[in-house]
């Protein structure tokens, strides 16, 4: 019953099997392995983007920060939601990689930027000429940090605002497949057809051991990615093990099945929680994370029963009145079982 | 017969088995996994350094660049050999991570700095007060990029020079175990007892899939490492898979056995080459890489027979007079077999 | 009738005379001139800070950004008001100089942070351990960008919040003397006695040609300032001309007289505007800038009559209904005359 | 008798007069002053470059570092002489401004790069693909730090090497006019006609108070200069005082006359020294600096007589045998008089 993060889950067996299978003989390092040729072809096929540049790195923060670094100048702004992962959970990686760009924060319920709020933020920036940080790029987290999803229409609405200012668009898709399942569209529709220029396409949170793809739809923007990746120490020498993961992930729809399982578990959990007296959802459950509040007594029982998750925000305390509702984040993964969900619900119900 | 790099080798079976074994149930992410507790204890034990701070990252460039970043200020110099990996093979990662430090290059045969050359370089730097880049730190690559080794006495001689200026010492030990085998001493003797403050302790080139430890002997210097690692995107979320590699690597002397095999293969190859008419060693073979020159005809036969390695430097050509000697680098790994060595020697001999 | 900025004013005659007087014979460069000895002594005396480190630079942005750079690490936050000069008007200089720190914006009316808002912002930052940007420093702009002033009590209330988190405090005093005149206290009371660690002490906006002092009250923090200044190209070679300005500025209370004149002109203008039908003050007039709104027709007359100032915000237009009030910023300087003030008032009144 | 630096000289009277004259009424700040229009036109005329972008900053380090920043990427190299000012005397400013570029050092007698040495340095860089720092730009210091001069042919020979690799060329012309006088050519011939893309055109060392122009011959490269300048705190608010200096400097050939005087004084000094028994020139005297060695006894007499200059290198001592020659640098400026030169020669002669 570990709902602390999708990062606590193990590697999917198919992916582990692929790693074992890749462990034969020698392979050229640094992305020159044969498997990478297949990965590149597969991602281009899935995204209907035969020209896209495709790179692999080991972490989502690397994928995001490198993506920003090729889209924005140091004196420009990255527009993102106030609760974006790049703002809240990367210890300033975008600032480091971009050489000091400024993240300008955009509002919107449930961690989703609204087009008018984005328009205001961009419009307000860089009006004073050389004295101001300039308009740079837009970054959209999908699924969001609050477990909600932008569908293609919502992505396009934001990208249209970006385009109206001439700005490129990045999508932080650490949980891209969870969003895709919910959006019920094609990968192309959720990305470049909606105006996304560069995608961080996550694998780690959805069953891989540690691999993320960066998909650069306009290959002209790819020129400097390779130097920045190497210079950051993110060019993996025994690269075949990244390739093997990503290839297995994209074979036989594994990526879709894993995200489907995680989303289904979250929906199950969300529905179960909603039915508990005194419990409420804090954000709609649209991907694999549930944000809900319920009475402190239920939290005490859950903790006592061995369930793991984070109170959200973290400064709430299990000490206090029984009835007071405390909010929490519960993240489901591909490995979350029905028994896990039923187990925590039973504990909370008491 | 792949002698292109120790990075072309697969993962040692014991390490792959440990990864498979670690793939059970949930584990806390970001270095909070139980295996990391064992890794930390084991490294402290091996290095006789009960206070050392220990961190894992996925690449050697990350280990080196982060190590530099905690030892040097942006306006200070890193003193290293002209052929150090940090100078030649990291696309400026030290400059990126340190915020623009200057690498000041030190001479010495076979990629080994000499103490007088180091002393001259340090002494020459920062004499002009605020106008100059200041003296910062020393970085020693061991084993070196030319396959030679510093023994504890040689390390201490350099560290003594550094200490005489109050400078800390980093060791790039991407091939630390190869050096250790040759030096025939304890890990402590080759590091902190000889004056090393921070060690990049390599796993990847010696049989791991992708893991390097940073060992910070003076934990006061560790304070900022964690922030810099996260900010660089080098804090791995499913960290148990780094821990599992490193733990298996350090169990039952696996790390020593793997390096021993690689070094033995290199010695075998070096001896065999030396015996070929017209062949000469370019650098002494002290670790797992052989630098030798032999007639072009032998290179043509080796290439024709499927042997892979790099001409070194790379601007030499297989086209030209038969007798002219061409220099090459051949790197052995834990997985290099006697048959590989005999095979390439037979080809070269013709 | 130029109210566009205090930067449009000329150099005070006393200061120009000092420059001419300094133009005799040779003088050691880079801050080793004899005049700088006097400047240092004078600033220490004025601030009752005999240990303070004192440096001169040519611009306020340099003074602020260098001050931040010695107080904060790249992975830490600078807490400042949403309308601070360092946030709005330096094109990201703090991010550049600090190596990518994040400016976390604090609210408060009239460009003044409130202690509770500062406390919330700091408290909210860095709670998630290594994943978040950490708490770094607080920067207070005094006088503010909206022409208001923090008195010693207000500064202390903010510094106390900073201290409760162990954070140092910087004051952007580009208009320090304007604030000091209004606060009616000693320089020490408005700075280190209230908890300020480093002060950007402005000269340029108050009658100098181009000089700002950085006063570092705790000299332990000064160690790296000199390297950062040089490295940034802000160590002036013919430094005597900075020293001469600052020394004249601080002689015979010139600095106080100049700021007094500017503040008095602003008060005069503010009172005059307040008395105009349909006009309102947008912010209280506490230093040398007036923020007021009045009917568009008055703006048209002012412009037609040759008055220069900025509509504030800048996206308002002179085209539109006569009666609609437009907000504007009018900045007075030491050189603003009564005739200037009466002139623009007459134009606006019509 | 101050030969310590051309920075110890005062401001030329014509330039000080222009500053006084500019101190009338209000002027738009930040480069929008009317005088700057004239400066831009004048520099374009002098350099026969009607399209050139022209900017002013207050220091040579700012001019150089900003110039590098617009010509090179962080992962690229700046090729310059081992004794270039940007390498030796700016505390790492190029590294700071470029985001961590590497300065690759080129050899050549008397601080002049030779085309073959430059070719070797460039050719050796970036051969290993993504693993290496890439080829970026060439920077030529003219006059050099050792008082020698590149004539147009020599500049072109270096620029031709740069061009053969597709690299842009910067000239650090802190002492450009001193070089120009010696080269006896037009400003265009010594810059863009010889292949220079961006020039740091110095004023400070040649009689100005503190102003350098950056002349960007290809205006396409100018786009980002303005943002980088502002972000670095090098956009001067009361900019008219930079403009006034530069305009006076370029009026009535003042810049040429000042440099002519300095060069003539150096030649006089150089000839005088050469005639002293036991004295030798260390570098040819081609601009305004003399590098010579003479017996220690002569140095003792010079010092005792109040002459100021630096032993070069600085670690030589006045204590020791009388006859031993010590090397020294003596810099002449526009303000060096015949009496100064005769005075020091008399002292040395004894």
């Amino acid at each position: 019953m570990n709902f602390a993060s999708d990062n606590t889950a193990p590697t999917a067996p198919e992916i582990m099997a692929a790693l074992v299978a890749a462990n034969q003989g020698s392979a050229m390092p640094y992305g020159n392995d044969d498997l990478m040729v297949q990965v590149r072809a597969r991602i281009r096929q899935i995204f209907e983007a035969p020209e896209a540049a495709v790179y692999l790195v080991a972490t989502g923060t690397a994928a995001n920060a490198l993506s920003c670094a090729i889209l924005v100048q140091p004196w420009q702004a990255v527009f993102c939601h106030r609760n974006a992962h790049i703002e809240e959970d990367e210890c300033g990686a975008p600032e480091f990689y971009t050489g000091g760009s400024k993240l300008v924060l955009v509002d919107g319920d449930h961690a989703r930027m609204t087009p008018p709020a984005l328009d205001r933020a961009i419009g307000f920036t860089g009006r004073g000429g050389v004295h101001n940080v300039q308009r740079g790029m837009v970054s959209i987290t999908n699924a969001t940090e609050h477990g909600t999803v932008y569908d293609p229409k919502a992505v396009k609405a934001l990208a249209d605002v970006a385009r109206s200012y001439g700005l490129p668009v990045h999508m932080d898709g650490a949980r891209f497949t969870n969003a895709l399942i919910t959006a019920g569209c094609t990968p192309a529709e959720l990305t470049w057809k909606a105006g996304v220029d560069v995608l961080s396409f996550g694998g780690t949170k959805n069953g891989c051991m540690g691999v993320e793809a960066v998909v650069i739809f306009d290959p002209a923007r790819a020129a400097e990615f390779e130097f920045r990746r190497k210079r950051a120490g993110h060019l993996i020498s025994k690269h075949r093990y990244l390739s093997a993961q990503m290839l297995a992930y994209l074979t036989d729809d594994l990526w879709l099945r894993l995200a489907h399982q995680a989303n289904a578990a979250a929906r199950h959990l969300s529905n179960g929680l909603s039915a508990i007296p005194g419990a409420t959802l804090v954000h709609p459950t649209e991907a694999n994370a549930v944000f809900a509040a319920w009475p402190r007594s239920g939290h005490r029982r859950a903790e006592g029963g061995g369930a793991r998750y984070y109170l959200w925000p973290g400064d709430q305390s299990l000490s206090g009145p029984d009835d007071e509702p405390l909010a929490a984040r519960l993240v489901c993964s591909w490995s979350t079982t029905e028994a896990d969900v039923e187990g925590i619900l039973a504990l909370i119900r008491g």
Side-chain angles (χ1 to χ4, degrees), chain A:
Chain A
M1 287 187 296
N2 192 319
F3 296 91
S5 171
D6 27 18
N7 285 331
T8 64
T11 304
E14 296 88 341
I15 291 169
M16 186 55 87
L19 284 167
V20 171
N23 201 36
Q24 301 296 329
S26 66
M28 291 308 285
Y30 300 120
N32 297 316
D33 52 296
D34 297 337
L35 292 173
M36 186 58 199
V37 178
Q38 299 179 56
V39 167
R40 196 175 291 113
R42 184 79 183 104
I43 286 183
R44 287 172 170 173
Q45 177 194 32
I46 283 175
F47 282 91
E48 306 168 45
E51 306 293 328
V54 177
Y55 300 103
L56 301 182
V57 292
T59 72
T61 295
N64 289 338
L66 286 166
S67 295
C68 290
I70 63 168
L71 293 177
V72 77
Q73 296 287 349
W75 57 89
Q76 293 178 337
V78 179
F79 299 94
C80 65
H81 193 276
R82 182 175 302 283
N83 298 116
H85 195 272
I86 61 171
E87 164 66 12
E88 291 212 316
D89 277 298
E90 300 187 348
C91 197
E95 287 90 340
F96 176 43
Y97 276 78
T98 61
S101 296
K102 187 187 284 290
L103 273 61
V104 173
L105 307 181
V106 179
D107 290 309
D109 290 345
H110 308 308
R112 271 189 294 232
M113 293 186 278
T114 65
L118 177 61
D119 192 40
R120 270 195 306 278
I122 301 177
F124 188 79
T125 298
R127 300 172 306 164
V130 75
H131 301 285
N132 304 156
V133 167
Q134 300 296 300
R135 299 157 184 164
M137 61 174 282
V138 173
S139 180
I140 303 171
T141 317
N142 199 19
T144 73
E145 293 299 292
H146 288 167
T148 55
V149 167
Y150 295 95
D151 64 16
K153 202 169 137 189
V155 173
K156 185 168 187 309
L158 294 172
D160 284 351
V161 173
R163 284 290 174 268
S164 73
Y165 291 98
L167 306 189
V169 176
H170 165 251
M171 180 173 282
D172 171 3
R175 296 187 180 97
F176 178 78
T177 316
N178 303 94
L180 187 73
I181 293 291
T182 298
C185 62
T186 68
E189 286 166 353
L190 198 53
T191 55
W192 65 268
K193 288 188 176 175
V196 172
D197 297 285
V198 177
L199 171 69
S200 299
F201 176 43
T204 313
K205 288 184 197 305
N206 191 33
C208 293
M209 179 182 281
V211 67
E212 316 277 310
V214 175
V215 188
I216 308 178
F217 294 107
D218 174 359
R221 295 186 187 277
E224 69 181 81
F225 188 93
E226 299 194 38
F227 295 112
R228 290 193 180 272
R229 178 177 58 165
K230 171 67 193 182
R231 179 173 174 79
H234 281 293
L235 177 56
I236 299 289
S237 61
K238 294 186 172 175
H239 189 278
R240 63 167 123 176
Y241 301 106
L242 292 192
S243 303
Q245 290 181 65
M246 185 52 73
L247 195 58
Y249 183 60
L250 298 178
T251 296
D252 294 338
D253 290 345
L254 177 62
W255 60 306
L256 299 170
R257 279 184 286 129
L258 295 173
H260 192 273
Q261 286 170 232
N263 285 10
R267 207 163 44 241
H268 179 175
L269 177 58
S270 181
N271 291 339
L273 282 171
S274 300
I276 292 177
T280 52
L281 289 185
V282 175
H283 302 299
T285 304
E286 299 178 0
N288 65 319
V290 180
F291 290 78
W294 62 87
R296 185 178 273 111
S297 53
H299 287 283
R300 289 204 192 104
R301 283 190 301 272
E303 197 207 33
R308 298 195 75 161
Y309 57 87
Y310 290 108
L311 296 181
W312 206 266
D315 53 3
Q316 303 169 94
S317 166
L318 286 186
S319 309
D322 270 14
D323 289 350
E324 192 183 13
L326 304 181
R329 184 190 81 163
L330 301 98
V331 188
C332 297
S333 79
W334 69 274
S335 71
T336 306
T337 62
E338 265 203 42
D340 290 333
V341 174
E342 287 300 342
I344 193 173
L345 288 172
L347 286 170
I348 295 171
R349 285 187 206 111

